[in-house]
Each structure stands twice: as C-alpha cells, then as structure tokens.
Amino acid sequence: MEHVKENGRASSAVVWASLGAAGVFEALTVLETQDKTVRAASPWQDDPYDVVVSLAQFAVPMLALVIALRLLAWRAPGGAERVRQTARAAGAMVTLVGLTVVSEWAAVIARTPASSSGTWASVLIGGLVVNSVLTVVAAVSLGRCHRWRRSSGGWRNDWLGDAVFLCRRIPILRRWVGPDAAVWARRRALTVFITLSTLAAAAITGAQAVGERWTDPLLVVWMLIVVATSNLTFCVISNAVAGFIARPPRTRARRIAETSAVAGCVAISAATAFRDTLSPVFGTGSLTSVPALAALTLGAGLATSLVTAALLLACLPYDSIGSRRRFGAAATHLRRPDKHRRKA
C-alpha cells in the first residue's frame, strides 16, 4: 500500500512537471500565433508547419486543463488506474508538444538564413530551444516513472467517473450530475466527442472569420469541417490512450465505421497541410478557389475512409467460429450440472 502511495506521489510530481512544460509551450505558441508582428517573423507561420502548431495550440491546453482537474480527485477510489491514466494523458500531451517542436525545427531548417533572421525570429528560435529541452526532460521523466500498460479487460474507472465524483461534492451541481449522466455519456461517447468537436470548431472558425473578415460562406463551412474533423481525431485518439470515457464493447461494424471515419479525418488534416504539394499531383493546379480546395481536402478524406473501410472489411471478417468458441465453454459449463444430476 505504501508503495502505491509513493508511486502515486512520484507520478503526481512528474505530471505537474509536464504541465509546467506545457504551460511554457502554450505561452510561446500564443505569442507567436496571435501577435501579428511576431507571427510575421515566425519561421513556421506557413503550412504544413502551421497546421501542427494550430492543433497543438488548442489541444495542449485542453489536455492540461483536464489533467489538472483530475489531480483534484487524486485520492478518490481507483488510485492505481488513475495514476496510469493521468500519466498516459500527460504522455499524450508531451508527445503532441514534441511533434510540434519537431515541426518547428523542420521549418527552421527548411527556411533560408535570411528569412530566419531578425529580433523576433531569434526570440522564437530561442524559445524553441527552451521548449525542446523541457519536452525531452518531461518525456524522459514520464518514461522512467510509469509503465504505459493497460489492463486487457479495459478500464474500470475513468475520468468521467471522477468528474461526477467532484460534481457531487458541489451543492449546485449535485442535482444535475449523477451516475445516470455518466452512463448516458459512456454509451454515447462518440456523440459526445462529435458535439464537443463541432462546438469548439464553431468558436475557432467564428473567431477566424471575424478576424480575417471572411465573406465567402463556403470558406467558412470548409474551415468548420476541417477544424471539427481535426478535433474529433484528437478526442478519439486521446480517449483511446488515456481512457477519459470508458466505452462499452462495440460491434464489429461500428468499430470499422469509427476507424474509417478517424482515418478520413486524419487525411483531411494531412491534405490541408500539404495542399500545395498535392494539388499538382492530382492535376487540380494551383488552389486559387475555395471549391477546388474543398474538393481536394474533403475528397482525400472521403477516399481514405472508403479505402480504410474496405481494407478492414477484408482483413477482419466476421469470425463465427471464434464466437462459438467464446460462448462454447460457457454453454458447456452451464450444462454440466444437468449431467451430474442425471448421473446421480
């Protein structure tokens, strides 16, 4: 028991250190993306680097927020799983920061020395060095402190249960949040992810449209779809890693549909990031119109989803024999008492 408590305290310290590294990363990222003067000097202001930075700018603080809130329920029941899940979430956050740092270094290397010169460019590259060091330290600490192992039977406790646990301690929320709400959310986890992704995308797209003074409705709709699919990918993958919502078993058809949809969402983000490179390959020419941009990016997502679904259907056929084997032992066990009674 003492070993579990000591491991929990050590993991908590490492998680807090990871949150500190994420805080430094977020502060520098907000500065380089929201200040026009600083952004103009940023070596990674253009795609494909900016796509990674934009995703991390919103995903990292979301992960940091839920991790910090879960530390409030650190001593609630289910501590062993909570330690593993929180460390896995911190690992996902640090991994996302690391991918962004790698993307930014790639932008620095790809640009000419003249384009990376100037006061603000030097400041941003210096901040990138700091982020790189903090990310490596956080990743090494998480790797040493925790084994990234998940029980084969799935999670018994999840973040949603802790959220209910905390809300039940607040008189105002006690009437509205209960076990039934958690059960409803677990059964409809994908619906929850889609709703949250769309609401976040609407806020981001609205702010972008107002700030850039967009007047083309198709451009607004296209960006809404791109941001929403990017958010949905983040939600599904991070939930699979950290177990925010413990999902019940799903049918084979639903698993294939969800996997194909996520693959299509990833393809949309990739096509958006590399649209200038892909447009000559597919013969669309320069993307000077919104319909051509939408056709390239959303078409890539649709094609990827269909190909993924076809591959999964071919590689994962329905295993009726496996079903018999799975339920055969249980059926035999249920028949044994009858056999014993006949012998008696």
Side-chain angles (χ1 to χ4, degrees), residues 183-302:
V183 172
W184 183 91
R186 291 187 183 104
R187 291 178 177 176
R188 300 167 178 82
L190 187 62
T191 301
V192 173
F193 294 149
I194 293 174
T195 302
L196 293 177
S197 300
T198 304
L199 291 176
I204 295 171
T205 304
Q208 182 74 12
V210 172
E212 299 294 335
R213 298 181 180 180
W214 289 350
T215 58
D216 189 345
L218 181 59
L219 179 60
V220 175
V221 172
W222 171 79
M223 182 175 178
L224 177 65
I225 295 174
V226 171
V227 177
T229 52
S230 177
N231 293 342
L232 180 60
T233 302
F234 164 73
C235 289
V236 174
I237 294 178
S238 61
N239 186 71
V241 172
F244 296 115
I245 299 178
R247 306 185 65 182
R250 288 156 290 163
T251 62
R252 168 181 172 271
R254 184 167 183 176
R255 292 198 306 271
I256 291 176
E258 290 184 8
T259 303
S260 303
V262 171
C265 292
V266 173
I268 290 175
S269 297
T272 302
F274 295 96
R275 58 186 180 275
D276 293 333
T277 304
L278 293 175
S279 56
V281 175
F282 292 98
T284 57
S286 59
L287 297 176
T288 57
S289 65
V290 178
L293 177 63
L296 175 65
T297 55
L298 303 185
L302 178 60

Side-chain angles (χ1 to χ4, degrees), residues 70 85 155-162 186 243-246:
R70 202 181 200 200
Q85 290 173 343
W155 302 114
R156 293 187 177 183
N157 300 279
D158 59 6
W159 303 59
L160 186 61
D162 283 357
R186 291 187 183 104
F244 296 115
I245 299 178

Side-chain angles (χ1 to χ4, degrees), residues 8 11-12 15 67 69-90 146 155-159 161-163 165-166 242:
S11 297
S12 177
V15 168
I67 290 171
L69 290 176
R70 202 181 200 200
L71 292 175
L72 299 176
W74 199 249
R75 299 184 181 275
E81 282 197 336
R82 183 173 297 103
V83 170
R84 292 197 297 270
Q85 290 173 343
T86 308
R88 288 168 70 96
H146 186 75
W155 302 114
R156 293 187 177 183
N157 300 279
D158 59 6
W159 303 59
D162 283 357
F165 173 81
L166 293 175

Side-chain angles (χ1 to χ4, degrees), residues 117-138:
S117 61
T119 303
W120 277 117
S122 300
V123 171
L124 292 177
I125 295 175
L128 178 57
V129 173
V130 174
N131 276 332
S132 302
V133 173
L134 293 177
T135 302
V136 171
V137 172

